[in-house]
Amino acid sequence: MSNEKKLRRAEALSGEIAIPGDKSISHRAVMFGALANGETVIENFLAGADCLSTIACFRQMGVEIDQEGTKVKVSGKGINALREPEGILDVGNSGTTTRLMLGILAGRPFHACIVGDESIAKRPMTRVTDPLREMGAAIDGRQNGNYTPISIRGGKLSGLEYVSPVASAQVKSAILLAGLQANNEKTKVTEPHKSRDHTERMLRAFGIEVKEEGLSAELIGGQSLQAASIQVPGDISSAAFFLVAGAIVPSSTITLKNVGINPTRIGIIEVLRQMGADLTIEERGSHAHEPAADLTISTSELKGTVISGELIPRLIDEIPVIALLATQAEGDTVIKDASELKVKETNRIDTVVQELKKLGADIEPTDDGMIIRGKQTLRNSASVSSHGDHRIGMMLAVAALITEGDVSLSDHEAINVSYPQFFDHLNQLAD
Ligand code: S3P
């Protein structure tokens, strides 16, 4: 394939880097700022392609948003000021933009049409369009509203008590954002396991009362958002690539500054500890209800483990790089209950197994996860592909650090979706 990037090996990694802003939190800060009254100021915003898609969509609905690098000002005039977009809303590669925006649009009295890239066109949307229809929105799209292009005309919404078949923060958030528009009615979402709770935490920072109890989150519609000041912590899902790199590259010690450690996101930290990694955490306090810390990791002797159940939603985006980690652990690592991997930016069971095998890993797909047998020296020269998936691309760049052969990566631009500075940071630690 065209435009291959030659990946590097590393003898050792050292130094520290500041991890860029959290993607989930950056999306929400822009969206909630757009719905609020007043000026929302966002610091350490993630200026990656996905979050820029969110900004572009809300600008098309008349919201004034000023973005310079990692600083964003959103001039909100309240949810009723959103207006019908003249053109099509292009969400690019972003599932979070698509699903959360559908929740907002569900109660807006106008028409909007959403499209995205090839990957978005394969991602299932009835998980949000079905409950949003039940609340009163008119939605259509390919295969009865399961795939983009999707068109939506918001309606007068009723509250909903919804028991979700999947643990998904995007589903939960879409329903809560629609529920906010169901005046004086209760909306409650219950999940099989707890998914990330950034929406619940940030809604509170914008003055909304949200109740969280066990596996449920609920609110009463008709409350209005007041502008807030949001300091976005670093994205633990981006830090994950360097946590794994620090653990598997010989003679390494690296520090990752200002990483979000929300309990619903730290599955990777728990797994690293379970596998025996040499990791220390220095807490740095909280902003807008989101705690952060500096993480220091050193080369570690690792052992295999089992990853399943309630842990899965707390590390779902880290599974590709955890699979790589497991190739360097003694014994078997079994990842199960993770069939959600099949509906991410790519089918990540297939893409992880296919690409790691090219480098010589002993890895086998299962119906709901994978089995990795370690410890295995990665030694093959190979041309690997991100398949257009940012997290597969970054995982492979970390794998190349310890691979004895020459490795080149195609479709590496996908990494801009969540971590435009990734290769700069990698070079900084490897030099
Ligand atoms: C996200 C939720 C997760 C995650 C995605 C971001 C969010 O998806 O994989 O990268 O910001 O709410 P699901 O809600 O589909 O599990």
Side-chain angles (χ1 to χ4, degrees):
M1 214 182 269
S2 66
N3 199 8
E4 293 212 340
K5 185 178 179 72
K6 209 168 163 320
L7 297 175
R8 64 182 292 171
R9 291 199 64 196
E11 300 297 321
L13 300 176
S14 64
E16 57 179 53
I17 50 171
I19 296 294
D22 185 277
K23 181 155 79 67
S24 293
I25 295 175
S26 295
H27 280 300
R28 286 161 173 81
V30 169
M31 290 187 191
F32 298 0
L35 306 181
N37 285 297
E39 186 177 89
T40 288
V41 177
I42 310 167
E43 316 255 10
N44 200 36
F45 173 77
L46 172 66
D50 269 14
C51 298
L52 295 177
S53 296
T54 290
I55 289 186
C57 288
F58 280 84
R59 280 184 179 146
Q60 272 181 269
M61 291 187 271
V63 183
E64 207 182 297
I65 305 174
D66 179 37
Q67 181 241 336
E68 260 176 73
T70 61
K71 181 145 185 172
V72 180
K73 284 186 199 156
V74 186
S75 304
K77 297 198 171 67
I79 191 165
N80 292 320
L82 289 189
R83 57 163 202 253
E84 184 169 81
E86 282 173 17
I88 285 168
L89 299 173
D90 185 351
V91 297
N93 190 245
S94 178
T96 306
T97 311
T98 312
R99 296 192 177 117
L100 270 60
M101 199 162 64
L102 280 167
I104 293 168
L105 291 171
R108 296 300 82 214
F110 55 71
H111 168 264
C113 183
I114 295 178
V115 297
D117 68 8
E118 263 173 57
S119 154
I120 277 292
K122 293 186 194 137
R123 300 186 65 185
M125 295 298 157
T126 45
R127 54 178 62 197
V128 291
T129 54
D130 277 353
L132 294 175
R133 280 169 170 156
E134 213 176 315
M135 296 174 84
I139 305 178
D140 207 347
R142 242 173 0 105
Q143 295 197 21
N144 194 25
N146 196 24
Y147 298 110
T148 56
I150 286 180
S151 78
I152 177 165
R153 179 173 292 280
K156 186 171 163 5
L157 301 182
S158 319
L160 180 68
E161 298 221 4
Y162 189 66
V163 178
S164 175
V166 281
S168 159
Q170 295 179 355
V171 171
K172 175 176 59 176
S173 302
I175 296 170
L176 291 175
L177 290 168
L180 263 181
Q181 303 172 71
N183 281 344
N184 302 317
E185 295 191 24
K186 177 166 110 179
T187 291
K188 179 173 178 178
V189 183
T190 304
E191 308 181 272
H193 296 298
K194 194 169 170 73
S195 65
R196 63 191 66 191
D197 64 355
H198 303 302
T199 293
E200 296 88 311
R201 287 170 187 248
M202 197 185 293
L203 281 175
R204 288 189 194 110
F206 280 82
I208 303 294
E209 237 178 86
V210 189
K211 203 158 106 190
E212 276 178 275
E213 219 169 56
L215 299 174
S216 302
E218 66 178 76
L219 50 73
I220 302 291
Q223 307 180 63
S224 46
L225 288 82
Q226 299 306 322
S229 157
I230 303 289
Q231 175 86 40
V232 182
D235 197 326
I236 192 166
S237 298
S238 298
F241 298 101
F242 292 111
L243 287 172
V244 169
I248 65 177
V249 173
S251 312
S252 298
T253 294
I254 58 179
T255 296
L256 312 170
K257 310 280 281 183
N258 184 36
V259 179
I261 52 162
N262 176 316
T264 60
R265 295 286 299 281
I266 56 170
I268 174 95
I269 290 180
E270 291 170 30
V271 163
L272 279 162
R273 290 219 157 119
Q274 226 166 279
M275 294 175 78
D278 178 358
L279 171 67
T280 56
I281 301 180
E282 198 172 328
E283 296 198 14
R284 287 277 172 233
S286 291
H287 286 283
H289 310 287
E290 293 285 355
D294 295 343
L295 309 178
T296 298
I297 187 132
S298 301
T299 313
S300 308
E301 292 282 321
L302 302 163
K303 55 180 192 295
T305 189
V306 176
I307 303 170
S308 64
E310 66 82 34
L311 197 50
I312 296 294
R314 297 196 295 122
L315 49 61
I316 186 77
D317 291 342
E318 290 65 78
I319 290 177
V321 80
I322 288 172
L324 167 65
L325 179 74
T327 67
Q328 301 309 302
E330 287 299 337
D332 293 359
T333 293
V334 179
I335 300 172
K336 54 187 183 190
D337 306 326
S339 49
E340 275 295 296
L341 289 172
K342 295 177 182 167
V343 291
K344 294 297 177 186
E345 285 81 333
T346 53
N347 176 333
R348 287 182 175 159
I349 297 180
D350 289 352
T351 50
V352 166
V353 170
Q354 186 184 326
E355 297 304 315
L356 279 178
K357 264 191 173 178
K358 287 185 189 169
L359 301 178
D362 185 347
I363 179 168
E364 182 192 315
T366 62
D367 239 13
D368 62 351
M370 55 195 90
I371 298 169
I372 305 107
R373 298 191 177 86
K375 177 179 181 176
Q376 190 79 44
T377 305
L378 303 182
R379 61 172 92 251
N380 298 350
S381 288
S383 168
V384 292
S385 171
S386 73
H387 296 258
D389 183 334
H390 54 130
R391 300 199 200 281
I392 301 297
M394 288 185 274
M395 179 275 283
L396 291 166
V398 175
L401 296 172
I402 57 160
T403 302
E404 285 169 13
D406 293 328
V407 186
S408 57
L409 174 67
S410 58
D411 262 350
H412 58 90
E413 298 84 356
I415 291 172
N416 291 330
V417 157
S418 65
Y419 203 159
Q421 318 84 321
F422 175 75
F423 284 111
D424 293 340
H425 284 179
L426 186 57
N427 289 336
Q428 212 175 302
L429 297 172
D431 284 339

